[in-house]
Amino acid sequence: MLDAITAEIIRQRLLAVPELIDRNVTRTAFSPLIADYKDYAVGIVDAQGRLIAQCKGGITVFVANALGTAVLDGLALYGASRIEPGDVLITNHAGTMGQHLNNVVMYTPIHVGPQQELFGFMALVFHWMDVGGAIVGSCVSNTTTDIYQEGIQFRSVKLVKRGEPAEDIYRMIEYNTRFPEMVLGDVQAQLAGCLKGRDMVVEIIARYGLSPVRETIENMWDQSERIARKAIAAIPDGTYEASSYLDDDGIRSGLRIPVKVRVEILGDELTVDFSEVADQLPGPLNSGRQGGAVAAARIACKYLLTPDEPANEGAFRPLKVRIPDGKFLSAAPDAPMGGSGSTLPTGIDTILRAVAQAAPGSVNAGHHGTFGIHMFHGRAPSSGEIFKHGNTAIGGWGASPEGDGEGPFRSMIHADTFEMPIEMQEALFPCRIESFSLRTDSGGAGTYRGGLGIERVYAPTAPVSLAASFDRTACPPWGLAGGSEGLPGFVEIRPATDSAPVHLTKGNQSLAPGDTVVVRTGGGGGWGPAAGREVESVVADVRAGYVSAAAAASTYGVIFSRGLLVDEERTAAARKALQQRSEKAPE
């Protein structure tokens, strides 16, 4: 029996490995997507693809199952005996991973002991900034109709064989990206992380022994499982349903995509049923089963059940996912998947909306829920080289029974990844950022207000093309318990000419110097009736610029006489009327 102190030391050392590699990655990566945006994840999985530990940095979508899914595919293709010491493999295969092809997992085996027993794998997933395909950036087209238009696929091929680089694979990477220097630089950072992490795990096992390390891992999984099951057991048994929808798939403009979810609670087990979501789409908003339905369900359950636990396989043991083949969250391997990141936030939000019926105190209102890509690309005036300046939406998250919504953050699958500094954006790309501010009145009204979106104004200094992909504009972030919806996001293009502004959610637009692009992101939904919000909180919001004086009067019944002084008499009457309307409103 392993003593508790040694077990905790081993646990902390295992958890530290991905964290240390995380730090190294941000220092050694070439592209801003990795070094600043943190579009990656670092983890350790066992010889059966089960997650042992994962870094807290990186983005949420990779917490679910990306690393283990990649490893299991490699084991199925090669068998454990043909993945040898010193091998390093890469995969982005859509039929396996089920997400856009830019997400490339690299993994290397961890062999230990005199018999070189396979203990597990060190694995890193990076978003490579371009893998070919029809458009710069590969995954940002709104109109691709099959996966082959979105870039090159590697299905668990060996980048390194027994310690020797596979030069032919490196050449394939180099000549299938528009940015070979950036991508190959990131590949080397990814490789260094794999090898260093592998060696650190080998060192831990050499010091403490294989059996104690395995026992510690089982204890970690068991602890997370117990916490998850306890949280599920606190939710009343039953079947709970919720619906939402996406705007369209980019091909059939305006044709809504239903997202209907059923959550079944039975004892300490939870099943997420996606059987009634929309069928596979002709446009690129598809995901495969593992990258779509399973990932969405696991992320929702991580938020709901074990938010404070380190990510590992144990937390997902009580979860079952049900979905037939051929849905847009279980699409075929040849389906277009470039926009997979645009669909999962709404899937997660809808799962939580269903659970809110049973556990209203544990679920927030809807968040802005869109990937919100807005990418500028073209040729740099000074060098003539292709450039890509991509960004995604940061917006408001939903309010809760305990307080106002947080944000602005990215979506639930991207969370609190960093913003690239404005000075760096302007230094690297022919685009000036004229303003960057919170978006007044974007958060849904309520006893607790939804988090705010942002407004950012770009001014290109050279001819560029803009690719944008916003969603949830027709299905705004919902409120709960009587709270109001948040505002959805969109892009507005203001031409330098006298032409009328262009309102864009999904599409492409050529821009010239003198044009401006205004990106407005969505706010989170409110929680509870607006009549329940304290007057002092409304006044503070107005003074901070979160809520306008007009919205304070119309939505919260707080009326200002002059400046920011409250007209107490008129406010009292307006608040009384607001309270009466709230009491008469249907549930």
Side-chain angles (χ1 to χ4, degrees):
M1 182 71 177
L2 188 62
D3 69 274
I5 293 176
T6 302
E8 183 61 16
I9 292 171
I10 295 171
R11 185 176 85 96
Q12 292 298 333
R13 291 199 64 177
L14 288 170
L15 293 175
V17 171
E19 299 297 336
L20 291 169
I21 302 304
D22 178 331
R23 304 300 187 275
N24 286 350
V25 160
T26 61
R27 288 194 292 264
T28 57
F30 275 44
S31 76
L33 270 173
I34 306 302
D36 293 288
Y37 188 89
K38 296 177 75 70
D39 198 344
Y40 64 84
V42 181
I44 311 165
V45 300
D46 78 347
Q48 298 177 52
R50 297 176 294 185
L51 183 63
I52 296 170
Q54 191 159 321
C55 69
K56 296 175 184 175
I59 66 173
T60 314
V61 68
F62 298 137
V63 168
N65 60 340
L67 304 181
T69 297
V71 165
L72 287 173
D73 187 58
L75 289 169
L77 289 173
Y78 291 93
S81 63
R82 292 173 56 210
I83 300 179
E84 301 177 275
D87 285 353
V88 180
L89 299 90
I90 58 172
T91 188
N92 67 342
H93 175 235
T96 303
M97 305 305 300
Q99 294 183 2
H100 57 229
L101 299 181
N102 297 72
N103 293 342
V104 182
V105 181
M106 183 183 294
Y107 57 99
T108 191
I110 302 169
H111 290 92
V112 296
Q115 303 301 317
Q116 289 292 281
E117 180 180 351
L118 180 62
F119 167 78
F121 296 83
M122 190 70 201
L124 282 74
V125 54
F126 273 25
H127 179 111
W128 291 6
M129 64 183 297
D130 184 274
V131 290
I135 189 170
V136 176
S138 308
C139 66
V140 296
S141 172
N142 295 300
T143 57
T144 50
T145 55
D146 64 46
I147 195 70
Y148 310 108
Q149 298 169 352
E150 297 178 349
I152 188 170
Q153 294 191 64
F154 301 96
R155 185 174 181 182
S156 286
V157 298
K158 292 188 179 182
L159 183 72
V160 179
K161 299 178 181 179
R162 303 185 70 177
E164 293 296 323
E167 295 181 2
D168 51 351
I169 302 300
Y170 273 95
R171 279 198 302 275
M172 290 181 70
I173 296 169
E174 180 180 2
Y175 290 100
N176 282 278
T177 176
R178 297 169 176 88
F179 306 101
E181 183 177 357
M182 282 280 192
V183 169
L184 289 173
D186 282 353
V187 167
Q188 290 306 102
Q190 197 172 3
L191 176 62
C194 274
L195 300 181
K196 179 64 175 177
R198 175 200 65 191
D199 293 345
M200 292 174 72
V201 176
V202 169
E203 180 185 345
I204 293 170
I205 294 170
R207 178 166 183 174
Y208 296 99
L210 184 56
S211 292
V213 170
R214 281 182 168 156
E215 184 178 341
T216 299
I217 293 166
E218 289 290 345
N219 289 339
M220 290 164 60
W221 287 338
D222 290 345
Q223 175 177 309
S224 293
E225 180 182 3
R226 284 194 298 272
I227 293 171
R229 289 189 182 278
K230 182 178 179 181
I232 296 169
I235 302 172
D237 285 0
T239 299
Y240 307 98
E241 297 182 355
S243 296
S244 63
Y245 54 88
L246 300 167
D247 291 349
D248 57 52
D249 63 7
I251 301 292
R252 301 168 298 179
S253 179
L255 184 62
R256 306 300 182 222
I257 301 167
V259 183
K260 185 173 182 179
V261 174
R262 179 181 295 111
V263 176
E264 300 168 6
I265 305 290
L266 183 61
D268 60 0
E269 293 191 346
L270 184 153
T271 300
V272 178
D273 189 341
F274 290 107
S275 298
E276 296 184 58
V277 301
D279 291 337
Q280 180 174 313
L281 306 168
L285 296 191
N286 298 291
S287 304
R289 179 185 300 272
Q290 292 299 320
V294 174
R298 284 189 166 206
I299 294 167
C301 286
K302 188 74 177 73
Y303 278 113
L304 187 66
L305 307 176
T306 59
D308 300 320
E309 276 291 290
N312 65 55
E313 201 71 26
F316 305 120
R317 287 173 173 171
L319 170 66
K320 297 177 182 177
V321 181
R322 186 182 302 141
I323 187 170
D325 292 337
K327 297 292 185 177
F328 85 95
L329 294 176
S330 59
D334 62 349
M337 299 187 190
S340 59
S342 296
T343 63
L344 296 188
T346 295
I348 295 163
D349 239 0
T350 310
I351 294 169
L352 298 178
R353 190 180 195 180
V355 175
Q357 301 169 47
S362 63
V363 176
N364 290 26
H367 79 314
H368 69 100
T370 181
F371 199 3
I373 296 169
H374 43 290
M375 187 194 79
F376 302 91
H377 62 92
R379 291 193 176 271
S382 56
S383 65
E385 294 183 353
I386 295 175
F387 76 87
K388 171 192 133 182
H389 176 26
N391 212 333
T392 58
I394 55 172
W397 284 36
S400 75
E402 299 177 353
D404 294 342
E406 300 289 347
F409 295 140
R410 301 192 199 279
S411 80
M412 281 191 173
I413 69 167
H414 303 92
D416 56 351
T417 49
F418 298 140
E419 280 284 286
M420 187 192 303
I422 289 174
E423 295 81 0
M424 183 178 292
Q425 295 181 53
E426 294 182 337
L428 292 176
F429 309 110
C431 207
R432 187 174 62 250
I433 297 177
E434 296 193 332
S435 66
F436 183 19
S437 60
L438 293 171
R439 185 183 175 194
T440 301
D441 292 336
S442 56
T447 305
Y448 296 109
R449 173 186 42 75
L452 298 183
I454 61 103
E455 179 175 294
R456 180 164 24 207
V457 179
Y458 295 91
T461 57
V464 300
S465 294
L466 168 68
S469 184
F470 276 68
D471 213 297
R472 289 278 292 279
T473 63
C475 179
W478 49 79
L480 289 178
S484 299
E485 298 174 341
L487 292 181
F490 64 95
V491 175
E492 181 183 327
I493 299 168
R494 298 172 179 169
T497 64
D498 293 333
S499 302
V502 176
H503 185 106
L504 192 66
T505 54
K506 291 188 178 79
N508 301 281
Q509 185 82 17
S510 295
L511 303 170
D515 295 342
T516 55
V517 177
V518 183
V519 175
R520 295 187 177 95
T521 68
W527 194 96
R533 190 164 182 79
E534 297 290 340
V535 171
E536 292 78 7
S537 296
V538 178
V539 172
D541 281 349
V542 173
R543 287 176 176 164
Y546 301 162
V547 174
S548 66
S554 63
T555 307
Y556 292 104
V558 177
I559 300 170
F560 296 92
S561 55
R562 62 182 184 278
L564 292 180
L565 296 177
V566 175
D567 185 322
E568 296 186 4
E569 184 176 341
R570 293 171 64 199
T571 292
R575 299 276 288 178
K576 182 178 180 181
L578 187 67
Q579 179 68 40
Q580 290 171 345
R581 288 198 302 271
S582 174
E583 291 172 353
K584 292 178 180 178
E587 292 292 329

